Amino acid sequence: MSQTPRPLIIAGNWKMYKTIDESIGYIKNLLKTLDGTASRIFLAVPFTVIKTAADLCKGTPVVVGAQNMNDAAEGAFTGEIAGRMLKEAGAQFVILGHSERRTAFGETDLVINRKVKRALADGLIPLLCIGETAAERSAGQTELVLTRQLEADLAGIDAIAENSLILAYEPVWAIGSNHAATPEIAQTAHALCRRFLEGKFGQEIAQRISILYGGSAKPENACALLEQPDIDGLLVGSASLDPESFSLIAQIETTKTLKL
Ligand code: PGA
């Protein structure tokens, strides 16, 4: 078995919060607390904040990204933003397929798949989110839904370079609810995702793809979630808005060993 550790990724999703001014104070506070942390810290910020945040985070463990992009390279799409614009502004990753985009903006798996391909082509790491609703879970369809989303969202992507894709399991019922999935429920879903990735990309690559858990992740439940063998990090919404609570999560130490 390889002893190479899989580094934890703690990602904050600011959603539609924080102006440029507010972000500067936040990032300066966060950076002060991160000395010596072994985790990689990702911050998905509003479009307007990307450039400022990326400049402030240069040479630090913090990686800045976006929360959405268009699937076209460029074009007459009023109000949209292209991957290469995000990249130029300093984004290194982009959240795609978040349940708020799927439900509030009608994004289908087909569109998400096109966005994932465009992000890869533009040199951005897609942080692809999947997850079942409460109704799907109580109907016993969790496995079916997750597999269907993975198949559709990653269709046509047959090979993936190291560190070029991140997955997030975000049960829709746990997002913003203050009721995170139990570590056992999350681990079961993560193991399913890992098996899918192994079938698609092979064991060696699948073992290196980080699978984050998202949905009411907080300093109080982060440790138990991160102890699960297939939970490689967290995608944190509301608890990432406060630099102190976010940095408490970022400072948790657990080591994942690749099972190769
Ligand atoms: P939450 O959001 O932590 O506030 O539940 C997570 C997310 O939407 O990514």
Side-chain angles (χ1 to χ4, degrees), residues 13 15 98 100 170 174-177 214-218 235-239:
N13 175 11
K15 309 194 178 185
H98 191 282
E100 286 153 15
E170 295 210 307
I175 296 175
S177 70
S216 298
K218 314 269 178 217
L235 179 52
V236 186
S238 59

Side-chain angles (χ1 to χ4, degrees), residues 74-252:
E74 60 180 358
F77 301 112
T78 303
E80 289 295 289
I81 191 123
R84 63 192 196 95
M85 297 170 184
L86 301 177
K87 179 104 183 163
E88 183 194 43
Q92 296 183 52
F93 74 99
V94 57
I95 294 179
L96 294 175
H98 191 282
S99 77
E100 286 153 15
R101 302 283 329 160
R102 292 177 190 258
T103 51
F105 301 96
E107 286 193 15
T108 61
D109 286 309
L110 194 69
V111 170
I112 293 161
N113 176 241
R114 290 206 297 257
K115 290 186 178 195
V116 171
K117 287 175 174 161
R118 175 63 57 197
L120 289 169
D122 287 342
L124 289 161
I125 301 169
L127 198 174
L128 172 65
C129 302
I130 57 162
E132 80 288 358
T133 63
E136 288 164 341
R137 173 161 286 271
S138 39
Q141 293 174 343
T142 301
E143 266 201 39
L144 193 86
V145 170
L146 296 182
T147 307
R148 195 184 60 212
Q149 289 177 338
L150 285 165
E151 269 167 4
D153 297 347
L154 296 172
I157 301 163
D158 300 320
I160 204 95
E162 204 173 327
N163 294 325
S164 63
L165 173 72
I166 300 170
L167 202 65
Y169 167 61
E170 295 210 307
V172 180
W173 45 270
I175 296 175
S177 70
N178 260 328
H179 296 291
T182 62
E184 294 71 27
I185 285 180
Q187 168 56 27
T188 303
H190 281 233
L192 178 146
C193 294
R194 185 86 61 203
R195 281 196 302 277
F196 177 90
L197 294 172
E198 283 178 350
K200 187 169 175 71
F201 298 119
Q203 196 203 21
E204 170 104 30
I205 295 290
Q207 281 289 322
R208 291 176 198 277
I209 296 177
S210 296
I211 308 174
L212 316 187
Y213 167 81
S216 298
K218 314 269 178 217
E220 306 81 63
N221 57 26
C223 233
L225 287 160
L226 288 172
E227 272 167 8
Q228 299 300 312
D230 287 295
I231 301 186
D232 309 317
L234 299 170
L235 179 52
V236 186
S238 59
S240 76
L241 294 176
D242 168 44
E244 270 99 68
S245 71
F246 188 56
S247 93
L248 280 177
I249 300 174
Q251 284 167 50
I252 294 171

